[in-house]
Amino acid sequence: MRKIIHIDMDAFFASIEQRDRPELRGRPVVVGGSPERRGVVSTCSYEARVFGLHSAMPMKTALRLCPQAVLLDVDMKKYRRESAKIREIFHRYTDLVEPVSIDEAYLDVTENRFRESSATKLARAIQREIFAATGLTASAGVSYNKFLAKIASDARKPAGLTVIPPEKALAYLDTLPVGKFHGIGRVSAAKLTGMNIRTGHELRQLDAVTLKALFGKTGLFYYNIVRGIDNRPVEVKEEPKSVGHEITLAEDCTNMRALRIMMRQLSHRVAHRLQAKNLAGKTVTVKVRYENFETVTRSFSAPAPVCDGMEIGEIALALAAKTEWATRPIRLLGVTVGNFVDPGADPGFEQLLLPFA
């Protein structure tokens, strides 16, 4: 049985700023883009979250909810430097480290450098080392798989440590609201709540056939996680060559307004993924599949790297205009950004990023 630790830094960007600027401690701090440029919240301090602020919220909304918030620009160079220190600490314990984003990672400590049998002791040690090296707090979750470790790290923020052993997993999940299940999004959670399914216990009463009928393949994922089943290994991943998203339409579409909206939505999803991974690329590619399954792609390489959803969307629409999407029924659309630029090699890279952490 695996021993997995999930480490999640607490309000990472905002905590770094409060550490470096003592006058901001105890105040609502919001790190993100300018409200005049349709900026969004990247991270906000726990003092700001009391007012309902959260990551990815439009900055205008955030400032309306909390006018006294201190708004700070993103300083990616500084945040990446702190992230690198934290990852060095992870690798002192195990080679099996899977970064999820700049501020969180899974660690498989089943076998570890200290030959320590207690993952709980290792998690506490990692938290102490992070604080000693950076002055920042991290929350930790310990369990026998990635899903439960992630659930556990969210349970007692900030600076918490939660352990879910195998014999207590079902009891823990039974009382957990479905909206707290990592992997069940807001739309699915609302659908379940509308069926009077509000907790893990109630969700577990639905069989696999019913869940698949309601949610497709994702329903089988729900069937497993509500039973504490997650066989995904902690993977040491290579740097991605590209980041993309595509959608297969339920019915072939010829409505150009709807297709343009979908293309923009895809572009924003790709942008969110890029920003979460602190990436920007010069090449945008669109994929268009017609009703007869014929698939075409069109690409454009920009002079500067892109990671903004609106900019990616404009390029994607221009590329789509070079296909036959205006004259033929469409069954699939996709947007991909690749040809990533090394942040250290591009002096303008810092201004491009509005990451979510």
Side-chain angles (χ1 to χ4, degrees), residues 133-152:
T134 68
L136 303 171
T137 64
S139 294
V142 178
S143 196
Y144 60 92
N145 64 39
K146 290 165 70 173
F147 166 72
L148 287 167
K150 170 67 175 175
I151 291 292

Side-chain angles (χ1 to χ4, degrees), residues 68-83:
Q68 67 271 42
V70 180
L71 174 58
L72 301 175
D73 291 333
V74 174
D75 186 347
M76 279 307 304
K77 189 173 184 179
K78 178 165 65 173
Y79 307 151
R80 279 199 303 273
R81 186 167 59 243
E82 298 302 317
S83 180

